[in-house]
């Protein structure tokens, strides 16, 4: 296939581009990463990683270092005029191995990812700007301009544009970039704060004058974000400490004193989503594909999920595991999710900006009622944590599983009764030390589920037959009833076979007595005409 012998060109070395590069390098795909020179900046906006992304980042082996670096939050509390209305608890999520949010600066996140990139043999070519792109049918041709003025012409096999909201890649591809009418300006800072508010929660505070967020980042530092009138501040005239203190006094719950600003800035957000995330052998990811309201801290996390969705499919195509048509699903899946995230964050933004007495009373009553009935926890907590993301409507929900960050070839399987069973037919899928089932990161994994009751008398024979019938190398994980409750609920009370994608989303359930159906399903899922 064209492009398999040429590096994938990743344009942009923010968190999204770095995740794409790490994932591809880890799969043995050569990658070249160029960045126009943004580098690290003190004005680091994204500062939270949600549970679903901690799961996905484990694929590339960086979650543990991030946990050592960041500050854990148990949830997000919402207030109106100082009175607590509701709380979305990450700590009460029933189906994640990481039941908390993690706050750290985007610079720290990028530092962890850059170290992982280097460990995988990759580098970032800083100061290299894409200036032209010809998206021919046989593959892209680009011009790169180096800091010393040298111009380079290149024909990569594939190209990923992760070069931000003003993406040159997107403009060169002629892809539209429009969105719903959300237009709001924010002032933000990382500040040393003395406060009576809990350091285990982020705090969304609503008042008639506007909304603000206080997000603890550890060691007394808090991210403060608040809406301001357009064009109030500029790069040469950043928001001062006195302004933040005044707004904290007016809007925040509890008592807080802004001691020192580590940095401050302002920005204007207009929601934009690209009309296509793929054009031939070129892709858009992250802010190049979508800019959404910062309410809920979903932007970088949504971009990282773009990166993982694209990278496992693209690496599989380049390794010959999948047919190229699987890449069409990147566009359809991630654009649908981006529109949903944009809608939900826009609603959260608008909820914080209502200011008439009637609308404030209605919002406060709705939040309070939803909290008391449990609706807030059931709906908003999974939405914020991004554990609720599913594809094709509800057909491909996320499964409560961990995805391995290391090669699983060889090793052991877990049989229906929990004993280790060796075999060369399947790559090893396993249980990790905390009891979470761990699936293969490269290929679709088959789960054998005996159900929540006593397994049928012929269950072991059925499992053995299925293993014999599956294509060589298919990862198989035989589960016991000792799995997380969320996984047991997802699989149902009776015996079942489930096919799970490499990113942990359920592809389909099948009748365990019909292994031929599962083989056909795996073939269709890989988008290959035939498989040996």
């Amino acid at each position: 296939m064209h492009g398999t012998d040429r590096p994938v060109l990743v344009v942009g070395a923010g968190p999204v581009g770095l995740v794409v590069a790490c994932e591809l390098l880890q799969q043995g795909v050569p990658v070249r990463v160029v960045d126009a020179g943004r580098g690290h900046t003190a004005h680091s906006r994204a500062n939270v990683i949600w549970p679903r992304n901690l799961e996905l980042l484990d694929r590339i082996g960086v979650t543990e270092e991030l946990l050592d670096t960041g500050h854990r939050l148990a949830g997000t509390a919402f207030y109106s005029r100082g009175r607590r209305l509701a709380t979305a608890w990450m700590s009460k999520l029933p189906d994640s191995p990481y039941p908390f949010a993690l706050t750290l600066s985007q610079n720290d996140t990028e530092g962890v990812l850059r170290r992982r990139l280097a460990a995988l043999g990759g580098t970032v070519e800083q100061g290299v700007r894409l200036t032209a792109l010809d998206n021919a049918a046989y593959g892209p041709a680009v011009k790169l301009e180096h800091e010393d003025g040298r111009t380079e012409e290149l024909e990569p096999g594939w190209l990923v544009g992760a070069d931000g909201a003003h993406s040159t890649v997107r403009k060169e591809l002629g892809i539209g970039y429009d969105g719903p009418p959300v237009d709001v300006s924010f002032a933000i800072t990382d500040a040393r704060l003395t406060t009576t508010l809990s350091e285990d929660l982020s705090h969304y505070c609503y008042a008639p004058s506007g909304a603000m967020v206080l997000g603890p980042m550890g060691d007394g530092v808090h991210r403060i974000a608040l809406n301001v009138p357009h064009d109030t501040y500029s790069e040469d005239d950043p928001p001062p400490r006195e302004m933040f203190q005044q707004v904290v006094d007016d809007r925040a719950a509890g008592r807080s004193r802004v001691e020192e600003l580590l940095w401050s800035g302002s920005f204007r957000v207009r929601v934009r989503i690209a009309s296509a995330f793929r054009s031939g052998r070129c892709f858009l990811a992250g802010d190049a594909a979508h800019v959404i309201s910062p309410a809920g801290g979903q932007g970088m996390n949504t971009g990282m999920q773009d990166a993982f969705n694209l990278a496992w499919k693209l690496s599989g195509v380049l390794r010959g595991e999948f047919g190229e048509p699987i890449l069409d699903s990147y566009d359809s899946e991630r654009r649908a999710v981006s529109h949903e995230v944009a809608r939900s964050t826009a609603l959260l933004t608008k909820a914080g900006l209502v200011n008439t007495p009637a609308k404030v009373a209605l919002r406060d009553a709705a939040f309070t009622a939803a909290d008391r009935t449990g609706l807030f926890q059931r709906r908003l907590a999974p939405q914020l944590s991004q554990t609720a993301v599913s594809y094709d409507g509800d057909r491909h929900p996320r499964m409560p599983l961990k995805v391995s960050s290391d090669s699983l070839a060889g090793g052991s399987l877990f049989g229906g009764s929990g004993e280790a069973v060796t075999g060369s037919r399947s790559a090893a899928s396993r249980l990790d030390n905390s009891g979470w089932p761990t699936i293969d990161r490269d290929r679709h994994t088959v789960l054998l589920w005996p159900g929540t009751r006593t397994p049928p008398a012929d269950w072991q024979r059925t499992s053995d037959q299925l293993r014999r019938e599956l294509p060589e190398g298919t990862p198989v994980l035989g589960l016991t009833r000792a799995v997380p409750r969320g996984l047991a609920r997802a699989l149902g009370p009776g015996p079942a076979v489930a096919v799970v994608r490499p990113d942990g989303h359920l592809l389909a359930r099948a009748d365990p007595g019909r292994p031929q159906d599962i083989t056909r399903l795996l073939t269709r899922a890989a988008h290959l005409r035939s498989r040996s």
Side-chain angles (χ1 to χ4, degrees):
M1 177 181 297
H2 174 79
T4 55
D5 58 342
R6 300 175 183 178
V8 174
L9 179 64
V10 177
V11 182
V16 175
L18 291 170
V19 166
V20 170
C22 287
E23 178 81 56
L24 292 176
L25 283 171
Q26 192 168 248
Q27 307 303 326
V29 175
V31 175
R32 186 173 176 186
V33 184
V34 300
D35 190 272
R38 55 181 295 280
H40 288 319
T41 171
H43 298 178
S44 179
R45 293 175 183 169
N47 76 319
V48 61
I49 302 176
W50 295 105
R52 175 55 175 156
N53 286 74
L54 291 172
E55 296 172 19
L56 289 169
L57 286 161
D58 203 28
R59 288 178 58 93
I60 57 173
V62 298
T63 296
E64 290 305 315
E65 186 176 354
L66 289 168
L67 296 182
D68 291 339
T69 305
H71 176 75
R72 301 185 188 194
L73 296 179
T76 301
F78 293 81
Y79 306 81
S80 177
R81 291 170 291 187
R83 179 173 64 90
R84 189 151 157 179
L85 302 174
T87 306
W89 294 99
M90 302 298 110
S91 60
K92 295 181 181 179
L93 290 171
D95 59 355
S96 177
Y98 304 105
F100 46 82
L102 192 73
T103 54
L104 69 168
S105 76
Q106 183 174 320
N107 285 341
D108 288 337
T109 299
E110 289 184 11
V112 170
L113 291 170
R114 283 178 179 244
R115 286 191 289 276
R116 181 57 177 156
L117 181 75
L120 292 167
T123 59
V124 175
E125 299 178 48
Q126 207 68 52
V128 179
R129 182 183 303 276
L130 184 144
T131 58
L133 166 59
D134 179 12
N135 187 26
Y138 55 83
V142 304
K143 288 185 178 181
L144 302 177
E145 183 180 290
H146 293 251
E147 276 187 316
D148 60 6
R150 177 170 56 93
T151 298
E152 176 186 3
E153 295 186 357
L154 180 71
E155 293 186 1
W158 303 80
L159 185 148
V160 180
D163 50 340
H166 301 289
S167 169
T168 301
V169 172
R170 187 188 63 245
K171 293 172 183 175
E172 288 289 308
L173 292 173
I175 294 175
Y177 199 53
D178 299 306
V182 176
D183 184 9
V184 61
S185 290
F186 289 90
I188 58 174
T189 184
D190 288 345
R192 299 196 184 280
L193 197 70
T194 302
T195 181
T196 60
L197 292 172
S198 169
E199 298 248 342
D200 294 331
L201 296 170
S202 58
H203 308 274
Y204 278 64
C205 304
Y206 301 151
S209 59
M212 70 174 301
V213 181
L214 293 174
M217 298 177 66
D219 297 326
V221 175
H222 288 67
R223 168 66 52 85
I224 305 175
L226 49 95
N227 67 292
V228 294
H230 295 315
D231 303 321
T232 304
Y233 301 101
S234 66
E235 186 173 341
D236 297 326
D237 181 27
R241 186 194 69 82
E242 292 75 18
M243 185 278 292
F244 284 104
Q245 183 65 65
Q246 179 182 356
V247 177
V248 165
D249 291 340
D250 178 53
R251 301 180 189 177
R255 296 184 304 278
S256 301
R257 176 173 174 77
V258 181
E259 305 287 356
E260 175 191 5
L261 303 189
L262 303 184
W263 66 273
S264 70
S266 62
F267 61 99
R268 186 170 182 170
V269 173
R270 295 182 177 91
V271 174
R272 296 288 185 266
I273 299 177
S275 58
F277 286 15
R278 179 189 184 188
S279 178
R281 294 179 183 269
C282 299
F283 304 89
L284 301 176
D287 286 355
H290 47 72
V291 170
I292 58 179
S293 168
Q298 302 292 294
M300 180 183 71
N301 288 262
T302 301
M304 284 182 174
Q305 291 209 31
D306 294 342
F308 284 113
N309 186 293
L310 172 60
W312 72 259
K313 294 170 181 175
L314 181 55
S315 64
V317 169
L318 294 177
R319 292 194 323 269
E321 290 285 340
F322 307 133
E324 190 171 326
I326 198 173
L327 294 169
D328 292 336
S329 65
Y330 169 70
D331 177 271
S332 59
E333 289 181 352
R334 292 310 300 168
R335 270 200 302 129
V337 168
S338 298
H339 280 283
E340 176 58 28
V341 173
R343 186 191 68 82
S344 62
T345 55
L347 289 174
L348 198 58
T349 300
K350 292 174 182 177
L353 299 181
V354 300
N355 54 19
T356 65
K359 290 182 178 179
V360 167
L362 180 62
R363 177 200 63 203
D364 293 357
F367 274 49
T368 301
D371 188 61
R372 289 177 178 173
T373 60
L375 182 63
F376 209 78
Q377 181 64 31
R378 293 193 303 273
R379 294 290 181 86
L380 189 62
Q383 190 177 83
L384 287 175
S385 69
Q386 297 206 349
T387 58
V389 170
S390 64
Y391 295 123
D392 293 337
D394 294 325
R395 291 202 309 122
H396 298 159
R398 163 193 161 272
M399 298 291 281
L401 299 158
K402 290 187 77 174
V403 180
S404 172
S405 62
D406 60 294
S407 175
L408 294 177
S412 66
L413 304 170
F414 283 82
S417 59
E419 74 280 6
V421 180
T422 60
S424 60
R425 177 164 297 278
S426 305
S429 300
R430 63 189 184 207
L431 306 180
D432 74 359
N433 292 333
S434 61
W436 281 82
T438 306
I439 62 169
D440 194 282
R441 73 176 181 217
D442 301 333
R443 289 161 290 180
H444 295 86
T445 298
V446 174
L447 304 182
L448 303 180
W449 172 238
T452 56
R453 308 183 185 95
T454 301
D458 63 346
W459 176 247
Q460 191 64 54
R461 179 165 53 83
T462 300
S463 300
D464 293 342
Q465 179 191 1
L466 180 63
R467 284 192 173 95
R468 289 191 297 269
E469 296 288 339
L470 288 175
E472 187 76 24
T474 300
V476 181
L477 180 56
L479 302 175
T480 71
R481 286 176 285 170
V483 298
R485 287 179 295 174
L487 179 56
R489 285 196 300 270
L491 294 173
V497 175
V499 178
V500 182
R501 298 169 14 154
D503 56 0
H505 285 267
L506 175 68
L507 182 66
R509 296 181 185 84
D511 182 350
R514 294 181 58 83
Q516 66 274 20
D517 291 348
I518 301 163
T519 298
R520 283 195 291 268
L521 177 63
L522 288 168
T523 301
R524 290 198 304 272
H527 293 268
L528 295 172
R529 289 190 178 92
S530 63
R531 291 180 67 92
S532 58

